[in-house]
Amino acid sequence: MSFKIIVFIKQVPDTDDIRWTEQNTIQREGLESVINPYDIGAIQLAKKIRLLLEDCKITAVTMGPLQAKAALKEAIAMGCDNGYLLCDKKFAGSDTLATAYVLSQFIKTEANDFDLILSGYQAVDGDTAQTPSSLAQKLNIAQITSVKELIEINKEYSLWQKETPEVTQNIKIYHPALISVNINNAEILPDINGYIKAQTTDITVLSAADIEADITKTGFAGSPTQVKKAFRPEITRATERLSFENNGQISDYIIKLINKCKEQDEV
Amino acid sequence: MKFNTLVYIETNNNTIEKVSKEIIAHARQCFKDNEICGVVVTDEITTILEQFKNAGLDKLFVIQNPLLKKFNVSAYCDVLSQLINDIKPSVFLMGATANGRELAPRIASKLEIGLTADCTDLQLDENSNLLATRPTYGGKMMATIISKTTPNFATVRQGAFKHKQFDVNNTEVCFYTPEMSCLNLFLSQLEVLKTEIKEPKEDWTESEIIVAGGLGLKSKENFGLIYKFSDLIGAKPAASRAAVELGWASHDIQVGQTGKSVAPKLYIALGISGALQHISGINNAQKIVAINTDNNAPIMNIADFAIQSDAVDVLNNLINKLSN
């Protein structure tokens, strides 16, 4: 029996390239799309597992519009074996809970014999880090969040290094399990064979009906959270513009403020 | 109708996490007509009970079991979900710590409720529905999120609110005993073999005065003046994202949406232009002084005191004065 890894990826707008419309919303047209950098970290660890275990298969999966096929092709070029696109108008507008539901239905109908699910720790366009945990609960499996490195693996269990701002831990987990990978600077340069494979491998597109998804739990209608308003952060303070004759006066003024701050509750 | 807010209180080595106290303080002050309840999961409550004095809770639910000494996301999710189903709070909140960010989505998924992560502001509308505001697109935008499901559930960023002591101390303590037949299964799925606790760094974000430097300092060498100056006045140094990305300062001292939120009495911004993501991280400062050569830099419009000058020159002058 081959060892089956599912890597969930997400196509995200290149956040370094955000432009604003006059209505203070994000200009989506012409926005470059990339694979979420954390998901590339997940692909990197999946490939490491494939080197260590005989007969291991990596399947890349994403939910999104038809254009997201490009992300799956790229994942195959980077070394994944095949790709599935979960694509249905009824998925549009899904929040993290609805997304996790759709992904869990894919697993239940198409990949119930998986051994490991790998995903990025978070997506750079939402950075909520919710979907992996939410999915693990839907599948009733154990999870490790924020993994930096694979230490050891066999078919039955694996050992990972988890890192948070407070601790570094080595954790053993029995399969099937979900691992969220906190590596955002992985670079996988596809080689010529990767590109050929991406061109010749068909992406399987699955609809809500294909994965037996209850459409009352998907998309905008099936999402409990909704954006009430979006705005650019603003701070309004009564700004005093101060002018001084020289830097010496500026220094004196600042030192006065510092002393006031140390002596009184209010500056 | 009586509403109640439930706050998950995270403990670490028998100490309540600061963010948990911050959430309670905010809820107490801003959620009118709400009973403010807490829940703590522990192996032994007596050692930490003292810390709940003056925290501002009306009621504290205690889930106590030796098997729950260590955080296990599946097990904690299971017991907390049972409590929520039983007491049906209208709002449920927890800190967006490493554990909180792992636990909250699992609970939301189990209860099939919405969750808004990493909020920096929480308000109630006239019907006591939660308006949860969070940064998105790397802090370039803010979004206010509502949820159709109950409890309205959110995690809160550390430092978003100020911790406060309350005079009243009549917290009612209730022991809650969930059904725990699945506990051993959860604990057997995963085993922590080794834990290294990172050297606890002094929490510089708590400093009363913070001196922050940005691109306007022009070089890593000049950025060194920030350390020197802050040392001379007993303040803590900080940096903008641009300064960190250029390698002038460590990410540990970055201020802004992808760094730390700070609320000092005095924030001195030297050569920082004030990108939105930076400004939202200093929103809670009492007074902001900005020194920048560019009078049109965004920070010059939001600071309390805006001074047009070269930050490096001013720093050198300050250091000279203070050293003598």
Side-chain angles (χ1 to χ4, degrees), chain B residues 2 35 41 46 65 81-82 102-103 121 126 129 132 145-146 152 158 166 168 186 215 249 252 258 285:
Chain B
K2 184 86 180 162
E35 188 177 50
V41 180
T46 48
N65 188 305
S81 299
Q82 291 183 51
E102 185 175 5
L103 174 62
D121 192 31
E126 61 282 2
N129 295 314
I145 315 272
I146 51 169
N152 292 169
Q158 299 169 73
F166 295 88
V168 283
F186 294 139
L215 272 190
D252 295 343
T258 46

Side-chain angles (χ1 to χ4, degrees), chain A residues 13 15-16 18 20 24-26 28 95-97 100 121-122 124-131 133-138 140-145 159 162-174 217 220-244 247-255 257-258 260-267, chain B residues 12 73-74 77 98-99 101-103 105-110 112-118 131 133-149 158 188-198 208-209 229 232-234 265-266 268 276-277 279-280 282-289 291 295-297 300-310 313-314 317-318 321-322:
Chain A
T15 42
D16 289 334
I18 283 185
W20 302 95
N24 265 349
T25 57
I26 283 168
R28 285 184 182 274
D95 69 0
T96 53
L97 186 74
Y121 169 66
Q122 62 184 10
V124 290
D125 64 342
D127 43 61
T128 71
Q130 290 180 13
T131 309
S133 272
S134 190
L135 173 63
Q137 176 61 41
K138 295 244 174 283
N140 275 314
I141 55 173
Q143 68 182 101
I144 310 177
T145 305
L159 228 74
K162 166 181 176 149
E163 201 177 320
T164 73
E166 293 84 31
V167 295
T168 305
Q169 289 180 315
N170 292 355
I171 303 177
K172 177 179 175 179
I173 195 164
Y174 287 89
K217 292 183 175 184
F220 188 73
S223 296
T225 60
Q226 277 165 18
V227 178
K228 190 180 162 74
K229 63 171 180 177
F231 55 98
R232 297 168 86 164
E234 244 178 71
I235 303 183
T236 41
R237 287 173 190 248
T239 303
E240 262 184 75
R241 289 188 181 253
L242 306 171
S243 25
F244 298 93
N247 285 330
Q249 286 187 358
I250 297 177
S251 294
D252 290 341
Y253 182 79
I254 291 173
I255 291 168
L257 275 180
I258 292 164
K260 206 166 144 192
C261 181
K262 287 181 177 170
E263 286 155 14
Q264 303 169 11
D265 281 343
E266 301 274 322
V267 187
Chain B
N12 188 359
V73 69
S74 308
C77 166
N99 286 349
R101 292 183 107 213
E102 185 175 5
L103 174 62
R106 230 174 143 129
I107 294 175
S109 182
K110 190 172 171 80
E112 303 212 349
I113 56 173
L115 168 62
T116 308
D118 298 316
L131 305 170
T133 301
R134 68 182 308 273
T136 185
Y137 287 98
K140 293 186 176 77
M141 275 193 98
M142 306 296 286
T144 300
I145 315 272
I146 51 169
S147 176
K148 293 187 282 194
T149 47
Q158 299 169 73
S188 70
Q189 289 172 332
L190 167 152
E191 189 184 349
V192 178
L193 301 178
K194 192 171 97 182
T195 299
E196 268 173 49
I197 297 169
K198 293 185 187 169
E208 290 200 331
I209 306 175
F229 172 53
L232 280 168
I233 61 167
K265 276 161 80 176
L266 183 61
I268 308 175
L276 287 171
Q277 59 85 19
I279 289 172
S280 51
I282 59 175
N283 202 357
N284 289 326
Q286 212 182 89
K287 285 286 187 289
I288 299 168
V289 186
I291 296 160
N295 236 340
N296 296 318
M300 301 295 266
N301 292 314
I302 66 97
D304 297 278
F305 308 112
I307 303 169
Q308 187 182 20
S309 189
D310 183 78
D313 292 346
V314 173
N317 195 290
L318 276 163
K321 267 194 187 183
L322 292 162

Side-chain angles (χ1 to χ4, degrees), chain B residues 14-239:
Chain B
N14 287 330
T15 310
I16 298 175
E17 287 281 352
K18 206 175 82 194
V19 64
S20 305
K21 294 184 188 170
E22 292 167 353
I23 298 169
I24 298 168
H26 177 78
R28 173 102 263 159
Q29 288 168 298
C30 298
F31 293 6
K32 302 292 176 220
D33 306 322
N34 262 247
E35 188 177 50
I36 310 299
C37 308
V39 55
V40 64
V41 180
T42 178
D43 61 321
E44 176 59 73
I45 187 67
T46 48
T47 49
I48 50 173
L49 204 52
E50 181 68 17
Q51 295 172 53
F52 287 94
K53 236 182 176 173
N54 304 320
L57 285 176
D58 294 310
K59 205 181 264 182
L60 175 67
F61 292 96
V62 177
I63 301 175
Q64 179 175 282
N65 188 305
L67 293 175
L68 296 170
K69 184 178 167 70
K70 280 190 193 151
F71 177 75
N72 175 294
V73 69
S74 308
Y76 275 45
C77 166
D78 191 48
V79 296
L80 288 165
S81 299
Q82 291 183 51
L83 175 71
I84 290 164
N85 276 333
D86 279 350
I87 68 165
K88 300 191 175 16
S90 45
V91 172
F92 181 43
L93 304 171
M94 69 171 73
T97 58
N99 286 349
R101 292 183 107 213
E102 185 175 5
L103 174 62
R106 230 174 143 129
I107 294 175
S109 182
K110 190 172 171 80
L111 300 174
E112 303 212 349
I113 56 173
L115 168 62
T116 308
D118 298 316
C119 296
T120 52
D121 192 31
L122 300 171
Q123 299 297 331
L124 296 181
D125 71 6
E126 61 282 2
N127 300 318
S128 254
N129 295 314
L130 188 68
L131 305 170
T133 301
R134 68 182 308 273
T136 185
Y137 287 98
K140 293 186 176 77
M141 275 193 98
M142 306 296 286
T144 300
I145 315 272
I146 51 169
S147 176
K148 293 187 282 194
T149 47
T150 311
N152 292 169
F153 187 11
T155 63
V156 179
R157 201 184 154 106
Q158 299 169 73
F161 304 124
K162 272 213 155 287
H163 166 222
K164 194 174 174 289
Q165 295 267 342
F166 295 88
D167 287 338
V168 283
N169 184 31
N170 48 2
T171 305
E172 182 191 344
V173 178
C174 315
F175 284 85
Y176 178 79
T177 313
E179 196 274 317
M180 296 201 232
S181 58
C182 293
L183 220 53
N184 283 314
L185 169 70
F186 294 139
L187 300 177
S188 70
Q189 289 172 332
L190 167 152
E191 189 184 349
V192 178
L193 301 178
K194 192 171 97 182
T195 299
E196 268 173 49
I197 297 169
K198 293 185 187 169
E199 192 80 14
K201 290 180 193 131
E202 192 195 349
D203 190 359
W204 62 270
T205 63
E206 285 290 283
S207 178
E208 290 200 331
I209 306 175
I210 291 174
V211 178
L215 272 190
L217 297 176
K218 295 188 271 286
S219 71
K220 186 171 183 172
E221 192 190 347
N222 285 339
F223 194 90
L225 299 171
I226 294 285
Y227 299 118
K228 211 164 174 181
F229 172 53
S230 54
D231 202 37
L232 280 168
I233 61 167
K236 292 289 176 216

